[in-house]
Amino acid sequence: MSDETTPGPQPLVVGVLPGQSPEVLQTAGALAQSLATRLICAYVDEASYLVEWDPARSAHRLSLHPDTDNAEIRAVTQELRDSIGSACGPLGIDWTLRSLAGDPARALGRLAAETGAAMIIVGTPEPGLGHRISAALNGSVAAWLSHHQDRPILIVPVGGAARKIKRK
């Protein structure tokens, strides 16, 4: 892991989620390794919202679920760190984990702008009815980013989508 202000090539920003398909981190890690750059992994907690944002300082946020136990938050963070470490450790790349608040697409876009990222990497929605309903109600992170960003977006197919591509 390293600090995001490390000089060198522009970093890559990758959206991460607990229980996410490993294909997203594997792809992001391999790309970061081939570009000899660092990876900024970003988890966006949709159960909180941004109250104040200042790129020079940390963001202030409030939870939509004030009863959420800090132990739960630490457990999610540790699960993400373990997943990222498993995917990126063997590649020898530098990575950091950022926890953001609010709308995932906008939060990833802000982070990419703040860090001067060369690219934003996200996965396709996981298969299943719950994920399809969420995408229908909230919109697709990848779709929003592709229409509102001035930097490249890499969309990694996961689950069923990845298997379909490999069969061709």
Side-chain angles (χ1 to χ4, degrees):
M1 292 191 302
S2 72
D3 181 18
E4 291 166 21
T5 59
T6 304
Q10 294 174 295
L12 304 177
V13 168
V14 59
V16 296
L17 296 167
Q20 180 180 43
S21 172
E23 296 156 332
V24 177
L25 274 171
Q26 290 166 352
T27 300
L31 185 57
Q33 182 185 41
S34 70
L35 296 173
T37 192
R38 63 198 184 283
L39 196 59
I40 302 172
C41 303
Y43 167 63
V44 183
D45 181 4
E46 291 183 82
S48 60
Y49 59 95
L50 195 59
V51 180
E52 179 181 340
W53 181 68
D54 179 354
R57 291 184 265 156
S58 62
H60 300 283
R61 64 184 184 184
L62 294 175
S63 176
L64 295 173
H65 304 286
D67 297 332
T68 301
D69 186 345
N70 281 337
E72 290 177 51
I73 295 168
R74 284 192 300 275
V76 167
T77 301
Q78 189 58 51
E79 178 185 342
L80 290 169
R81 287 188 186 284
D82 292 345
S83 296
I84 298 164
S86 294
C88 298
L91 300 174
I93 60 171
D94 288 336
W95 60 271
T96 57
L97 173 62
R98 293 277 303 264
S99 180
L100 308 172
D103 175 79
R106 286 175 175 81
L108 290 172
R110 279 192 308 269
L111 178 62
E114 173 188 331
T115 60
M119 179 183 297
I120 301 172
I121 303 165
V122 294
T124 56
E126 297 284 335
L129 180 61
H131 294 285
R132 281 184 280 194
I133 291 172
S134 177
L137 294 174
N138 301 324
S140 164
V141 171
W144 190 92
L145 287 169
S146 69
H147 289 97
H148 296 92
Q149 277 299 305
D150 58 357
R151 65 195 75 244
I153 310 299
L154 174 61
I155 303 168
V156 179
V158 297
R163 284 189 293 278
K164 290 176 190 171
I165 289 172
K166 290 177 185 174
R167 280 190 218 142
K168 291 183 179 180

